[in-house]
């Protein structure tokens, strides 16, 4: 068997085997690129407020207390918008996942016990609304994208395997496309929209596949991080020589009781963050009440191509910081891992990168369709020709 014949065989059958999953993952991925923007478009009353000229943002503890009244479950996540976005709301979440050993059923929603997201006006303290994240369209889209809405341990393996096979089809497709000379290359870079459907379909498959190749490889390879631990570990090994220890220890100091201070520990924590960072690109706070710990991540622009962020751990009993990991202290592998999501959806390159990721995802979704039609057309044509010859005999 000739080399290109073998490559064509692999390209064809691997593509057929993984095509349906690749189509689903690509379509949902295209939607999720603009998840934040689309959510704001459909829910403007939840995500924006009129910044009060003379007013100021209320203490974080008051906003949290107001949000707590909207849910029966404890608040454990706080999302603060960038300082430049004075018309964005503060988001409070109550989230509890089921322990892995207790997960039952086939579908992903069995992994979450509850998840409420509450939107609060930071100037008035009014609760603007609440959604059940599990039933939210964009959360469902993400779960279909990552796990086909199946249980994490099942769905991630199916998606990850299909994406790995898709990477193989991309590489084999480039090998099949590669021309013998420049004249042929120029011809293969154009789509003849005046041609008949079969020829047009063939051009759409190979030409769009070529133009999307690099971006599709980046999107696919970064997506594998959420499917396979060995893939993530391999990249860490390549960049750092080992997997770094990112575990944050529980606070060991004995914090002062809340009653001893007129200021809430949460407000002390937030005051320290504001003191350190006059401006930021958003803050994520995870409250671990069971161990009296608050993990705070501050996102910055930074003078780097990476998605920059600094992380701190505070004692929730006293509001004092006892751990930090700054962007400059991170290893290359840690900088990559913190940036992996932004690379995956194109945000690392701003709005332009997001549009590139969106278009690339649509092209990736089209490749299994156009490829299937090429395969089916040739197979059907062969059968038809065979039947015609038998009729003549």
């Amino acid at each position: 068997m000739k080399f290109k014949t073998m490559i064509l065989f692999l390209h064809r059958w691997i593509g057929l085997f993984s095509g349906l999953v690749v189509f689903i993952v690509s379509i949902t991925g295209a939607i999720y690129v603009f998840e934040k923007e689309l959510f704001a478009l459909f829910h403007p009353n939840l995500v924006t407020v009129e910044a009060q000229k003379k007013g100021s943002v209320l203490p974080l503890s008051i906003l949290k207390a107001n949000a707590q009244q909207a849910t029966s479950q404890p608040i454990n996540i706080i999302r603060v918008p960038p300082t430049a976005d004075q018309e964005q709301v503060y988001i409070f979440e109550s989230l509890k996942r089921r322990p892995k050993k207790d997960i039952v059923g086939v579908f992903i929603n069995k992994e979450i016990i509850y998840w409420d997201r509450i939107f609060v006006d930071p100037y008035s303290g009014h609760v603007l609304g609440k959604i059940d994240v599990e039933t939210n369209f964009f959360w469902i889209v993400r779960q279909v994208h990552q796990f086909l809405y199946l249980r994490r341990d099942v769905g991630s393996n199916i998606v990850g395997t299909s994406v790995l096979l898709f990477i193989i089809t991309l590489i084999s497709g480039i090998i099949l496309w590669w021309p013998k000379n420049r004249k042929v290359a120029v011809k293969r870079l154009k789509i003849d929209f005046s041609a008949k459907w079969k020829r047009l379909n063939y051009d759409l498959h190979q030409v769009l596949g070529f133009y999307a190749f690099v971006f599709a490889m980046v999107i696919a390879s970064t997506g594998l991080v959420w499917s396979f631990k060995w893939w993530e570990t391999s990249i860490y090994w390549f960049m750092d020589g080992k997997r770094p220890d990112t575990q944050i220890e529980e606070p060991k100091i004995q914090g002062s009781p809340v009653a001893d201070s007129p200021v809430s520990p949460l407000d002390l924590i937030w005051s320290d963050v504001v003191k350190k960072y006059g401006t930021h690109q958003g803050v994520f706070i995870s409250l671990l009440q069971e161990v009296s710990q608050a993990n705070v991540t501050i996102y910055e622009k930074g003078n780097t191509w990476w998605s920059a962020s600094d992380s701190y751990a505070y004692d929730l009993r006293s509001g004092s910081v006892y751990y930090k990991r700054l962007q400059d202290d991170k290893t290359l592998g840690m900088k990559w891992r913190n940036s992996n999501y932004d690379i995956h959806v194109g945000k690392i390159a701003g709005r332009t990168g997001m549009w590139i990721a969106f278009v690339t995802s649509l092209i990736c979704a089209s490749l299994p369709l156009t490829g299937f039609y090429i395969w089916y057309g040739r197979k059907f044509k062969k059968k038809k020709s065979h039947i015609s010859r038998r009729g003549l005999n």
Side-chain angles (χ1 to χ4, degrees), residues 7 13 23 43 57 65 134 136 155 159 167 210 265 275 291 305 312-313 352:
I7 294 297
W13 289 104
F23 173 79
H43 303 281
V57 175
E134 289 183 85
N136 179 256
V159 170
I167 290 175
F210 170 78
K275 183 179 178 180
V291 292
W305 277 98
Y312 297 85
T352 301

Side-chain angles (χ1 to χ4, degrees), residues 53 81 108 135 141 144 148 151 194 231 233 240 242 309 338:
K53 295 180 180 179
I108 190 71
T135 61
V141 167
V144 173
L148 300 178
R151 213 172 72 183
S194 62
W231 181 270
T233 302
D240 294 343
K242 63 177 182 178
S309 65
N338 293 158

